[in-house]
Amino acid sequence: MIHSLFLINAAGDIFLEKHWKSVVSRSVCDYFFEAQERASEAENVPPVIPTPHHYLLSVYRHKIFFVAVIQSEVPPLFVIEFLHRVVDTFQDYFGICSEVMIKDNVVVVYEVLEEMLDNGFPLATESNILKELIKPPTILRTVVNTITGSTNVGDQLPTGQLSVVPWRRTGVKYTNNEAYFDVIEEIDAIIDKSGSTITAEIQGVIDACVKLTGMPDLTLSFMNPRLLDDVSFHPCVRFKRWESERILSFIPPDGNFRLLSYHVSAQNLVAIPVYVKHNISFRDGSSLGRFEITVGPKQTMGKTIEGVMVSSQMPKGVLNMSLTPSQGTHVFDPVTKLLSWDVGKINPQKLPSLKGTMSLQGGASKPDENPTINLQFKIQQLAISGLKVNRLDMYGEKYKPFKGIKYMTKAGKFQVRT
Amino acid sequence: GKNEDLKQMLESSKDSSKLDAMKRIVGMIAKGKNASELFPAVVKNVASKNIEIKKLVYVYLMRYAEEQQDLALLSISTFQRALKDPNQLIRASALRVLSSIRVPIIVPIMMLAIKEASSDLSPYVRKNAAHAIQKLYSLDPEQKEMLIEVIEKLLKDRSTLVAGSVVMAFEEVCPDRIDLIHKNYRKLCTLLVDVEEWGQVVIIHMLTRYARTQFVSPWKKDVVEEYNENNFYESDDEQKEKDQKVKKTYVMDPDHRLLLRNTKPLLQSRNAAVVMAVAQLYWHLAPKSEAGIVSKSLVRLLHSNREVQYIVLQNIATMSIQRKGMFEPYLKSFYVRSTDPTMIKTLKLEILTNLANEANISTLLREFQTYVKSQDKQFAAATIQAIGRCATNITEVTDTCLNGLVCLLSNRDEIVVAESVVVIKKLLQTQPAHHGEIIKHMAKLLDNITVPVARASILWLIGEYCERVPKIAPDVLRKTAKSFTNEDDLVKLQILNLGAKLYLTNSKQTKLLTQYVLNLGKYDQSYDIRDRTRFIRQLIVPNEKSGALSKYAKKIFLAQKPAPLLESPFKARDHFQLGTLSHTLNSKATGYLELSDWPEVAPDPALRNVEAAEVVGRHRWNVEGSTSQVHIFGFQVSRKIFYVFYSDSEDSKKKAKGITKKRNMSSSSDSEASSSEESSSDSKSESDLQSDSQSGKPGRAASKEKKKKKKEEKKKKNGKGLAAHYHFSRQPCIFGERMVSVQVTVTNTTDQKIENIHIGEMKLPAGMRMHGFNPIESLEPEGSITVSMGIDFCDSTQTATFQLCTNEDHFNVSIQPPVGELLLPVTMSEKDFKKEQGMLTGMNEASATIAVAPQNSSSPVIIERVVKAANLGVVPSGQDNIHRFAAKTVHSGSLMLVTVELKESSTAQLIINTEKTVIGSVLLRELKPVLSQG
């Protein structure tokens, strides 16, 4: 399936190559570079590029293109999903996934890639299994290995490979047994000029960090499971149990994993926690435009909105902006025409605002379009859908684990049209 | 050499320096630097005791063995030894490396190793053997036949670890050998949910192809969907009969249904490729009414990263052309954001256009107005095209769209104006009758528009409809004649066309102008222009040389031209299987396997039969099947009878007979009894319910139609009796999540063997579905057998009627469920209960005051009686006088909350909260007497 992999940085350098079948010359990437040039922006490079003898399938993450070389028919999502899994694995192993990190750990990277595919077909992609085969580098282990000559490579087949719970390794031991669950919801919304909602949806995930000894069997139930309209699970979740009782029952992987992704039913009205008041105007024949935006809280259930960031792509005709924020810092890049304002917290008593003028190209007519405002924000201790975990129980082990549940709401793709 | 230091390190006696050397070499390989000259020094370390050194040597070998074949052979014996190692990881990796060394001379060794590994005790080693098959095949295709034997063997493997890999090998080596799949089909369907995600994708794609060769189309007209799982047990003669029937009514092959049912849960996979694989399977295999279940999951994938979005949107674009309805409810999920990459925007726009209809077009056009103003001009132009397509497809809005586009003609952006002109031109062509005004408006634009394609479009329009704008057309020709030499070729050609058409219709005013233009064209730099000029002159200007054609010049130039079709660019893609690379590229990729058309007549389904022992079902999601125990805490004792009854031991059967005698029906019961049963089931009378509780079983007997009664009595006299009784097992149904599980015990009360007991015709009210039991081949005298079936009552107490047939006869059976059996218990805390109850007030609440007999007022008795009467779960309660029960309806999963609050003087308040108010009030009525009677 997957013949070869090339990692390409922003400058267009191939800094790593790996082949799972016979070697494919790196000149195949020339087709990729051509497409890259045509696309002007990285995110417009087509994920699937045909060449005379191969197909190039790529994903773009952390400013790196992961380009897979394919020789024959394969479901494109198979390759794309796998490439994302490679990136996730690197992130898991090294904390961050960057060119420097990959270059510094090239041997581990190579060993991991070797285990992930055999003859181009995925072999081990569960991080729990991989970590038993190839231990992630730590400073301590590196020092110990140099002294004792021991290695990062395991010599036994990870038990997970053969068990019915392939995602969990055996013999897990902790002195502090803890299970943390983060319920994180993102609001995707388009708000029209007048402030009414054109479309709004909530996407949520439950990310878990479970460090429990032995083979714990967990159940997690919700106060209001019917809010969840559509869900996707980590393979550890027992589907039938969910179907019949709306309870998440699972033997967790060890460490960090995404337990559940969900979509909140579109029938439920989505609470919009912020509003943006805007007055952006251009006049014909004038080289000055007015710009004024205010951000305020709307339906926040009494919680504070923080980490507010406003950004907007201004029309080409805007030469510069002279603005004063009531709080936070702002930047306008006259080349890319991108305005960004780091607002911080919203204090309902004193609403943050950004006011001033725009200087426009002299003589040119006023731009047709008003810019769209993109918003980012965070609200701690709130799941905006109202989803609430009822309880978490553990079976199969005797000790009492420490359990924690955190809620957070964030802006996803949150846009205000002006 | 330049790598002298590395060679020395590799020769060193210390493992640490060897390891350092190998790490540096792997670093070189990763960067794409040539390290082949180190081969002899590296290969010596292939047998190193240090496992990391050994692994890195393997990495090196796989990279360079092909280039250094002779030297590579030195390592082979090491691998051969390792293949016998007691450690499975070592055996497996030895096979991996050995099979990755692309050296033709070792083909026989590889073949042997693969054969041995395919019988290894470790499934992990067998998995690696499956991978090695493909490697050997690409090295030496001549081994195909021998490799197919190994594939055949591994296809029989029951390990979920092997399944994905061997199917992958099958797809690469012998995808046409469908015959190898037959016997493994059911096993693959059953194992699927437990196979790792990558294997799932491969298996689902293969099974999609398989199904299209083995089953008949579920898309034929007058399709009646039936759940009939009988036919593969039937004899040949009956099969023939069936075949003849197939022509009339369609019956889905149970194996076809099995595949659909077992893939459905995978829509909830976290892996986008798995979800897409199931979606394409449903698209290509499911009855059209069922394909819609995949929409929601596909829309969910749109929240993933841009690459996934791109592929999913492409597939939705193709689907939305043929079946709009699938995605209409998700219209807004395709709204475009200014931050979407252009390729995503364009795909979303494509889908929105496909989904446009009379009902949503006004909303859509408003949305399109925003897009037209987008700073991304390429996207704005695409939106204008989209508006044009909506205008032609939905005649109600043609004028609105046209007006909107005309407004855009005064846009400041030239690309927008140009695109609008092009689209307006196409629209006007479809109905030019009364658009003189628009053409005039466009003629005025000529002074300002510079984009060649737009200018050309305007000129063509004026020429084509010059008789509708008789005053303006000659003037336009005059103006453009002046600018002719500076125009783009595209525009020049249209000026020539305009001249020609005017010459033919209005030669008095335009003869000289046209000749002037023709003269300019004659000396133009472009030979296309010169050719066209010569051609036109010959046609329109009569002279002695011009032939017969010039007589028809007007007909040629001003012929009625067909309006252009504004179609989706995705229209042609649907002949590729969805989810494939070929579909994405819209051209056949190397190795693409065509999906065959459904066969007219299905090949013999018996091909898939296997000896019973071979079919293994192991459901991980089912393994911890303690779910039923969870529901019934606090009620275990009385339920136990229930379960024991249905186990197969002789003992329990005797017990069962004692308990259920009353329920026995059909031919064995006398006519009075059955008629009373019949009437009671119709009225749902209290006494009926009472008798249920007395018998300790919430079941209800089968009743039959009067007509049949006599016949059966006669049979009884002749000693031909078949007794059937059924009850509700109160477990989640295995046949479908919305079905109520019903168990039927059939007893032969005659002295002769009864053969082929099966379900015949079903008469179900609209919406109801039934999944029958597998036919019972034969039943000895006095013998009895219990079988399961599932009925989706659609949360109603309507009766399901069907025929119970034997080889010789058939009986009508009706099952009407007591409302309490339409429920499944739900576990819930008191807090949850109160919260849910708080949301189900007002119309959703029904209550009554009931009498409670003194002996019934203790907690255990209340719980026992209520749970006996209805399949409810007990909610732990903090107060002694309040009892709470929770369940959900089987079909829709709506909550059903029951509260019994004891009051003074032997009364209690009975409250039911549910969205399903109808069954809520029926349940209230049925529960009322439960506590009052002794």
Side-chain angles (χ1 to χ4, degrees), chain A residues 361-398:
Chain A
Q361 215 151 20
S365 49
K366 75 171 183 128
D368 279 324
E369 70 285 339
N370 273 347
T372 306
I373 295 168
N374 295 299
L375 223 60
Q376 282 176 294
F377 55 81
K378 269 194 300 213
I379 307 170
Q380 303 281 2
Q381 293 312 322
L382 173 73
I384 195 87
S385 70
L387 185 75
K388 260 209 137 53
V389 172
N390 179 26
R391 54 185 299 152
L392 176 72
D393 294 303
M394 186 181 76
Y395 306 94
E397 294 289 339
K398 292 225 166 58

Side-chain angles (χ1 to χ4, degrees), chain A residues 340-358:
Chain A
S340 45
W341 174 29
D342 185 346
V343 184
K345 258 186 210 168
I346 296 182
N347 174 1
Q349 268 71 53
K350 195 171 157 287
L351 295 181
S353 65
L354 182 65
K355 291 181 201 174
T357 54
M358 301 176 277

Side-chain angles (χ1 to χ4, degrees), chain A residues 26 73 114-115 243-244, chain B residues 31 55 96 582 737 888:
Chain A
R26 54 165 66 191
E73 175 62 54
E114 190 69 45
E115 292 302 335
E243 283 284 272
S244 59
Chain B
K31 283 190 204 115
K55 274 225 156 165
R96 267 181 78 186
S582 303
E737 50 191 342
K888 55 171 197 173

